[in-house]
Amino acid sequence: MIRNKLRRIVEYTPLYGRILLKTEYPITEYRLQQLSTDELLSILKHECHRIEKSIYNEIKEEKSEYYAEKKKRSEKVLELLESREHNQKEVISWATEILKKYDNLDEEFIKKKRREPDQLDWGAAEDTLQLVKSRRSVRVWADDQPSKEALESMANKMVEAATWAPNSGNRQAWRFKIITDDETKQLLRPIKEEHTIKAPLLVFIGMDSRVYGALGRNERSLYIDAGAAIMQMVLVGHSTGLGICWNHFADDLINSRDANKEAYDEFAQAMSIADYIAPIAIVAVGKAEYIPPIPSRPDTEAFKM
Ligand SMILES: Cc1cc2nc3c(=O)[nH]c(=O)nc-3n(C[C@H](O)[C@H](O)[C@H](O)COP(=O)(O)O)c2cc1C
């Protein structure tokens, strides 16, 4: 019983061993000031999203105090961000508009910005399904690869696709590193397989762990959000005909051996990856030498419970 009570008030974030009190949320003005710019931006995205959602759920009036608190907190965050450097002007405009039109959000924001749904196109599912089914994990790379510039431009498109993924509470916590130089790839040798090191392009995906757990009370979502983003980047890359392989690179793999930990530390240092970034995956990209055989999947019925 005491144990349960303790568990309820103490939130333990396993990745970084931070113990924080649940009662810390809603975040106080003092605590907001202590937060990094990235954390503030994430809170702004999260809180304004929640305010907007209250219209769809028709609960803004009923829970007026709760949402007024969110508005106040978001305004404070906006104020703090005024004196901070960042490159997310679009987010500031979006949030400012929501807060400005707070009293009449449905009429002045949602009705003005929404669009009509698309015509139903049942046939489109078949095309998308074919794209999804034709994706294979590629591990053998062709000798003639696209130029570094072409690969980097593709990497940027893939990152763009990832950032449009659905994500819990609109936190948008994913972070990326694009790697084409051999020196950096070699740092991964103790942890990853040969086919990964040999890939022409690698994209590292990590998540800003600071905006989950204690700040957001949503730590499982860190991995779920990452998965959604990675899948979008994989599909966009695959749609061009490039070969892709999703490579596991999360903390369970890194912490499984001292050699892995050391290699990750060296890689993270070389790439300036902060310790609050939870590593998730390395997506390998390049022109495939061939598309490997299909690892058979049973009929969908076999997966139904
Ligand atoms: C979360 C995740 C981690 C993976 N990690 C690796 C990896 O570290 N090395 C590797 O060669 N393949 C990795 N893969 C690829 C899987 O082995 C592959 O998706 C699976 O065998 C099915 O084959 P297919 O992708 O061609 O359909 C990973 C896939 C996922 C989704």
Side-chain angles (χ1 to χ4, degrees):
M1 168 111 166
I2 291 176
R3 226 217 219 152
N4 273 347
K5 217 171 176 180
L6 267 178
R7 224 191 2 232
R8 250 179 278 131
I9 54 165
V10 177
E11 188 160 338
Y12 179 59
T13 309
L15 277 174
Y16 296 97
R18 290 193 303 177
I19 296 175
L20 289 132
L21 292 176
K22 268 197 173 179
T23 48
E24 206 172 1
Y25 203 88
I27 305 148
T28 60
E29 200 172 314
Y30 169 75
R31 179 122 163 77
L32 284 177
Q33 285 167 6
Q34 317 294 308
L35 295 178
S36 67
T37 303
D38 281 350
E39 285 169 295
L40 289 177
L41 281 161
S42 192
I43 288 175
L44 191 66
K45 288 171 191 162
H46 179 58
E47 296 291 50
C48 289
H49 148 77
R50 297 287 295 275
I51 291 171
E52 181 191 336
K53 209 165 63 162
S54 72
I55 302 292
Y56 308 128
N57 286 320
E58 299 179 14
I59 50 171
K60 185 160 162 270
E61 306 312 323
E62 186 191 319
K63 294 191 163 185
S64 58
E65 267 180 46
Y66 178 75
Y67 287 103
E69 183 63 37
K70 290 194 175 301
K71 179 175 183 263
K72 215 171 99 193
R73 190 177 310 134
S74 301
E75 284 166 345
K76 181 73 202 164
V77 169
L78 269 181
E79 193 189 309
L80 289 168
L81 285 169
E82 266 174 36
S83 57
R84 309 255 189 126
E85 250 183 63
H86 62 82
N87 53 5
Q88 301 198 18
K89 271 198 213 136
E90 317 74 354
V91 172
I92 303 292
S93 319
W94 167 78
T96 305
E97 195 171 350
I98 289 183
L99 297 174
K100 236 191 203 160
K101 299 182 173 169
Y102 180 87
D103 290 332
N104 207 3
L105 207 52
D106 195 12
E107 292 297 324
E108 291 180 20
F109 181 78
I110 295 168
K111 285 202 175 113
K112 282 197 176 146
K113 303 238 166 207
R114 69 188 196 181
R115 68 170 182 89
E116 291 302 310
D118 299 324
Q119 284 284 320
L120 292 186
D121 175 5
W122 301 101
E126 200 47 52
D127 295 342
T128 313
L129 190 57
Q130 285 315 315
L131 178 80
V132 167
K133 286 170 84 169
S134 64
R135 180 208 56 78
R136 291 277 67 73
S137 293
V138 165
R139 302 181 180 90
V140 184
W141 312 103
D143 289 335
D144 61 320
Q145 287 296 326
S147 66
K148 183 172 172 272
E149 290 70 31
L151 286 171
E152 280 174 354
S153 143
M154 195 57 227
N156 284 321
K157 278 250 175 305
M158 289 170 70
V159 167
E160 186 180 347
T163 64
W164 283 93
N167 64 105
S168 69
N170 194 35
R171 289 186 182 84
Q172 305 178 17
W174 32 64
R175 303 288 180 264
F176 308 89
K177 288 280 185 189
I178 294 169
I179 304 161
T180 48
D181 69 290
D182 195 52
E183 209 181 314
T184 310
K185 289 177 194 167
Q186 292 304 330
L187 295 175
L188 298 167
R189 190 167 282 285
I191 316 182
K192 290 313 301 177
E193 297 156 86
E194 192 60 26
H195 70 79
T196 313
I197 316 294
K198 279 190 180 157
L201 164 72
L202 299 177
V203 183
F204 164 89
I205 299 99
M207 299 296 282
D208 189 334
S209 69
R210 297 171 301 178
V211 300
Y212 294 91
L215 255 194
R217 282 196 236 152
N218 212 348
E219 68 260 31
R220 297 281 192 285
S221 299
L222 183 152
Y223 296 101
I224 299 169
D225 293 351
I230 296 166
M231 204 55 234
Q232 296 208 162
M233 74 193 295
V234 166
L235 284 179
V236 165
H238 167 58
S239 72
T240 65
L242 280 168
I244 317 268
C245 189
W246 176 330
N247 292 280
H248 187 57
F249 200 58
D251 63 333
D252 53 350
L253 171 73
I254 289 160
N255 294 331
S256 65
R257 295 191 307 144
D258 285 345
N260 285 9
K261 276 191 237 170
E262 280 164 31
Y264 179 74
D265 286 347
E266 209 178 318
F267 168 76
Q269 200 179 2
M271 293 261 80
S272 307
I273 298 169
D275 62 356
Y276 52 76
I277 296 293
I280 304 289
I282 292 207
V283 171
V285 185
K287 195 169 154 197
E289 173 70 18
Y290 55 82
I291 305 302
I294 302 173
S296 155
R297 265 75 161 174
D299 189 79
T300 46
E301 284 307 311
F303 292 104
K304 292 186 189 161
M305 296 193 294

